[in-house]
């Protein structure tokens, strides 16, 4: 996909940016082949041989999340192993390949990726690239006959998500989105509690996911380059709050209103928003407020309040150390349902089960599509200053 097509694909965010007076597209965003991220610890010894029946994954994109979170957690998966790597930086590829015991013959560049079709040891591809590249590489992975795990957000637009789902169907291969919180014990317990009626009727959900971006520009950080990221903090971090609002309410909103803000003269926000605030109304009468920012002190928080009690999670959707407090009447209980870290291995094994036994995927491409539809509605509301009515599938009504 060209840069122009990527911008057009992210048209909802782009329309809202134009409405906010954003500058014209700046210099080209960062390229493939980035150096080894700071603070990566590579394994001191290659992993043991995979168990019989284990699903071999190719990792595409050896960046921060791949090297610090996902790749080390394959050791906790029961049914998956790293079988191949794809990178635009030959030095990093060699170093990471040695550390993870990936043979030279299973180390690919973006240019020779199509050769992976002949590698029977690779059954799935895990896409951990900047968002603007997800659709293109998912389609290439399906064309090579592989299953796909794709990082969040699924893509830049609902149109790209639909194309990815169609490619997965044509190839008869699985498509799963790396929405790890669905496999995380604190979030799973919160879902169960919210659905159990223990909180009474759910009335108010509040989520906040914010951090302060460094002194970057769109030319040095893809997260603030519109062609690679969309509108900014909502796709990157606020998506966790949007997801939580949906999995705790168990409903789709019937109406939403949103505002998005971009300060003038700050190079970080030449192409993306600094803050996005969303209010969603659910058919049950519950309301969710989802707030996200790239320019305020860090917070990762979810609260759900019903007529009889409340859940408080702070941090709520982290890699490790999430917390959950249940308040009912005069009681305040701190729950400890398990180690947050198991989310990674459980997520990988979920795709392995879908591949081997045909079990349904709980975070399929359709969920990623739903979320992109909602984001398009959010940007449409922010651009128009009006609330937007929604169909049950998240598309805008009328
Ligand atoms: P990153 O910038 O650290 O890594 C991106 C990698 O992609 C780099 O190695 C880079 O060289 C490579 N790349 C290939 N083509 C590129 C191009 N044209 N421009 C820029 N880089 C290119 O990013 P990250 O933080 O690892 O994020 C990657 C993906 O993982 C994103 O989709 C992000 O949303 C997702 N992510 C998910 C979580 C989570 O908790 N699920 C957390 C962090 C990131």
């Amino acid at each position: 996909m060209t840069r122009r097509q990527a911008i057009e694909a992210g048209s909802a965010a782009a329309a809202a940016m134009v409405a906010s007076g954003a500058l014209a597209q700046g210099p080209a965003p960062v390229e493939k082949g980035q150096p080894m991220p700071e603070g990566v610890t590579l394994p001191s010894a290659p992993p043991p041989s995979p168990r019989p029946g284990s699903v071999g994954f190719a990792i595409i994109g050896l960046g921060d999340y791949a090297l610090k979170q996902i790749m080390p957690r394959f050791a906790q998966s029961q049914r998956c192993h790293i079988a191949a790597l794809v990178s635009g930086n030959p030095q990093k590829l060699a170093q990471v390949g040695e550390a993870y015991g990936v043979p030279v013959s299973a180390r690919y560049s973006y240019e020779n990726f199509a050769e992976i079709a002949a590698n029977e040891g690779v059954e799935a591809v895990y896409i951990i690239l900047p968002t603007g590249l997800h659709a293109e590489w998912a389609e290439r992975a399906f064309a090579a006959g592989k299953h796909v795990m794709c990082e969040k957000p699924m893509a830049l637009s609902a149109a790209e998500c639909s194309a990815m789902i169609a490619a997965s169907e044509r190839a008869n291969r699985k498509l799963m989105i790396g929405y790890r919180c669905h496999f995380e014990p604190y979030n799973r317990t919160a879902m169960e509690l919210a659905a159990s009626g223990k909180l009474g009727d759910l009335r108010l959900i509040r989520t906040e996911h914010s951090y302060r971006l460094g002194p970057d520009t769109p030319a040095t950080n893809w997260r603030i380059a519109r062609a690679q990221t969309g509108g900014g903090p909502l796709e990157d971090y606020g998506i966790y709050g949007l997801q939580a609002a949906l999995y705790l309410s168990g409903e789709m909103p019937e109406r939403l209103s949103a505002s998005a803000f971009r300060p003038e003269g700050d190079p970080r926000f030449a192409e993306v928003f600094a803050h996005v605030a969303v209010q969603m109304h659910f058919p049950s009468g519950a309301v969710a407020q989802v707030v996200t920012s790239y320019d305020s002190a860090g917070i990762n928080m979810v609260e759900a309040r019903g007529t009889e009690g409340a859940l408080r999670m702070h941090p709520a959707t982290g890699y490790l150390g999430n917390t959950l407090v249940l308040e009912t009447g005069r009681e305040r209980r701190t729950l400890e349902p398990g180690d947050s870290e198991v989310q990674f291995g459980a997520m990988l094994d979920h795709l392995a089960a879908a591949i081997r036994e045909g079990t349904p995927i709980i975070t399929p491409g359709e969920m990623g599509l739903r979320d992109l539809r909602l984001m398009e509605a959010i940007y449409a509301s922010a651009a128009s200053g009006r609330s937007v009515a929604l169909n049950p599938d998240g598309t805008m009504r009328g």
Side-chain angles (χ1 to χ4, degrees), residues 29-35 37 60-67 69-70 87-89 92 110 126-131 133-134 137 151-153 178-180 221-223 228 235-236 240 317 319 344:
V30 278
E31 300 264 300
K32 65 185 177 188
Q34 294 297 306
I60 304 196
L62 303 181
D64 206 80
Y65 188 57
L67 287 165
Q69 305 302 333
I70 293 297
S87 171
N89 179 326
K92 184 172 63 175
Y110 294 102
Y126 196 147
I127 298 171
I128 321 184
L129 291 167
T131 310
L133 297 169
H134 290 183
W137 286 93
E151 257 319 311
K152 47 56 57 179
Y179 281 139
R180 55 181 172 71
N221 182 353
W222 67 264
R223 281 191 161 77
Q228 292 290 45
E235 286 88 338
D236 187 31
Y240 293 100
T317 61
Y319 305 144
F344 297 97

